[in-house]
Amino acid sequence: MVTRKEVAELAGVSEATVSRVFNGVGPMKAQTKLRVQEAAKTLNYHPNAIAQSFARRKSGNLGVILPFLPKVHLFSTYYFSEVLSGIGAKVKDKGYDLLLTFRSLDEESDYIERFRSQKVDACIILGASDTPQEREQLKTLESEGHHFCLVNQHFTGESFNEVDADHIGGSYRAVKHLMDKGHKQIAFLNGSSQFSNSADRYEGYRRAMGEAGKNAEAVRNLYYEGNYSRTSGYRMAAVLYERRHEIDAIFAANDRMAIGLMQGFRELGWEAGRDVAIVGYDDSDAARVTDPPLTSVSVPFYDMGSLAAERLLAQVNGEQGSFQVKLDTELVVRQSCSKIT
């Protein structure tokens, strides 16, 4: 194994200089740095990654914190798989490693410990919820100068790093499309209100319904809430079926709930695209293969993950200030809302 001493001798510098070159520590003449790099290349010298991380006081890890959801195959869900793929590709490109950790949604967040133990240089948080405890944890991270970013979640009144999507616009376009098809009584199946994207999707729905002359009471009368799972959509099918003579369309806040609705309705003899119009959200792979194919709002989750990792690592390296980014969404029309009841 080639040693640092051998590189120093060939380059005509001290061992300390070799260390400074590879650890990026302290000022360095360009000529000296080049001599060390050429000597290392000649001798096929590779510095110890662990030693480098200690010298730089960096771990070389980008952390991703995921919610622990019992009985949910997290990595098979479209949202998480797409965001993580985007993060992973960018992290690899930047020469970092990815450290995944889970936290239970019913436990107090321990974000700060991941930084204090120097396990990560920066952290992307997925599935954050807007609770007083969560805000306090994130404010502590911010006040201590730690680098973190929220994806698909924003906190009103705060200046945290965020990469989000235009869920208000996406929801608005979905409902307007149903109205343009002639539908008037459009129910909305939303997810939990503790997530900002739920609030945004409701706001888009409310705006479109308001423009169509629906007052606040009428909108509330058409509002339902699930938990973003297929099962919650399936269970809601029986409830909405009882109002089949009033409701002619349903907008679901994600594809999983929309697909659950379609399955439940089919068992009751009610078919999407024939008896009721259904629109989902996310434009997951499953939306393309349902029967009939599901109209859905496309969200660039892969790009959101990639951009979050890129901006956050640039911030770690002093090349990026704070950031709040919102990417566009797009309605993809298929056959699930092709007919009027």
Side-chain angles (χ1 to χ4, degrees):
M1 180 188 294
V2 178
T3 66
R4 186 172 57 190
K5 181 179 180 181
E6 291 174 286
V7 175
E9 290 176 348
L10 182 59
V13 298
S14 67
E15 289 185 51
T17 298
V18 174
S19 295
R20 288 198 298 275
V21 169
F22 285 104
N23 293 327
V25 178
M28 181 71 55
K29 291 182 179 179
Q31 185 178 9
T32 301
K33 182 177 181 180
L34 182 61
R35 288 210 314 272
V36 171
Q37 290 172 335
E38 289 179 344
K41 183 176 181 181
T42 299
L43 297 172
N44 196 28
Y45 170 74
H46 301 283
N48 184 283
I50 296 176
Q52 281 186 296
S53 69
F54 277 110
R56 294 172 178 169
R57 298 186 64 80
K58 292 182 180 180
S59 68
N61 293 325
L62 175 68
V64 177
I65 300 177
L66 299 158
F68 174 69
L69 303 171
K71 299 182 181 180
V72 174
H73 300 290
L74 204 64
F75 297 108
S76 67
T77 62
Y78 182 76
Y79 162 65
F80 286 107
S81 64
E82 285 291 295
V83 172
L84 287 171
S85 293
I87 294 171
K90 185 60 64 175
V91 164
K92 180 180 179 181
D93 180 60
K94 297 295 183 180
Y96 271 71
D97 291 320
L98 198 59
L99 180 64
L100 302 181
T101 58
F102 291 86
R103 70 174 182 89
S104 174
L105 294 179
D106 59 2
E107 293 178 0
E108 185 175 345
S109 308
D110 59 348
Y111 301 145
I112 198 68
E113 292 305 316
R114 290 171 172 82
F115 287 96
R116 288 175 176 167
S117 62
Q118 295 188 329
K119 289 182 179 179
V120 296
D121 302 328
C123 198
I124 294 174
I125 301 171
L126 305 181
S129 55
D130 193 352
T131 64
Q133 296 81 5
E134 191 95 346
R135 279 185 179 251
E136 182 179 353
Q137 281 277 330
L138 296 174
K139 284 184 175 181
T140 300
L141 286 180
E142 185 179 50
S143 66
E144 293 193 6
H146 297 299
H147 303 290
F148 69 95
C149 177
L150 303 168
V151 172
N152 204 42
Q153 173 75 14
H154 60 83
F155 285 71
T156 302
E158 306 295 345
S159 57
F160 306 140
N161 293 328
E162 299 164 354
V163 175
D164 205 351
D166 179 17
H167 297 304
I168 294 177
S171 179
Y172 176 86
R173 285 188 290 275
V175 178
K176 288 291 287 184
H177 175 74
L178 287 168
M179 291 177 176
D180 291 343
K181 300 288 288 184
H183 302 290
K184 301 182 185 301
Q185 292 296 100
I186 303 168
F188 180 39
L189 176 56
N190 201 8
S192 172
S193 58
Q194 67 181 337
F195 302 114
S196 66
N197 54 79
S198 297
D200 288 349
R201 292 173 202 191
Y202 178 61
E203 175 61 17
Y205 167 79
R206 188 194 63 76
R207 286 185 187 179
M209 295 291 279
E211 289 179 6
K214 299 289 185 182
N215 61 29
E217 183 178 355
V219 170
R220 284 194 298 269
N221 190 44
L222 291 166
Y223 180 88
Y224 295 86
E225 191 168 298
N227 63 6
Y228 285 120
S229 69
R230 184 198 60 80
T231 301
S232 69
Y234 176 80
R235 290 173 178 168
M236 193 58 65
V239 176
L240 289 166
Y241 182 74
E242 291 300 314
R243 298 186 65 186
R244 62 190 179 279
H245 301 301
E246 306 170 51
I247 294 171
D248 53 27
I250 302 164
F251 171 44
N254 79 336
D255 288 350
R256 290 167 69 85
M257 291 194 296
I259 291 167
L261 275 174
M262 293 170 69
Q263 180 184 356
F265 285 151
R266 182 174 292 114
E267 292 178 5
L268 294 167
W270 222 29
E271 292 286 341
R274 184 192 72 188
D275 305 303
V276 62
I278 296 180
V279 175
Y281 203 104
D282 293 344
D283 192 33
S284 62
D285 293 338
R288 301 165 177 80
V289 297
T290 57
D291 182 21
L294 178 65
T295 294
S296 186
V297 178
S298 178
V299 184
F301 291 127
Y302 182 95
D303 294 338
M304 290 165 69
S306 177
L307 185 60
E310 180 178 47
R311 294 286 183 94
L312 198 54
L313 292 176
Q315 192 177 74
V316 169
N317 295 321
E319 303 164 357
Q320 167 78 55
S322 62
F323 55 93
Q324 292 83 39
V325 182
K326 187 165 289 189
L327 302 184
D328 290 334
T329 55
E330 179 183 0
L331 182 67
V332 180
V333 178
R334 300 190 181 93
Q335 287 74 45
S336 66
C337 61
S338 61
K339 293 184 179 180
I340 302 174
T341 57

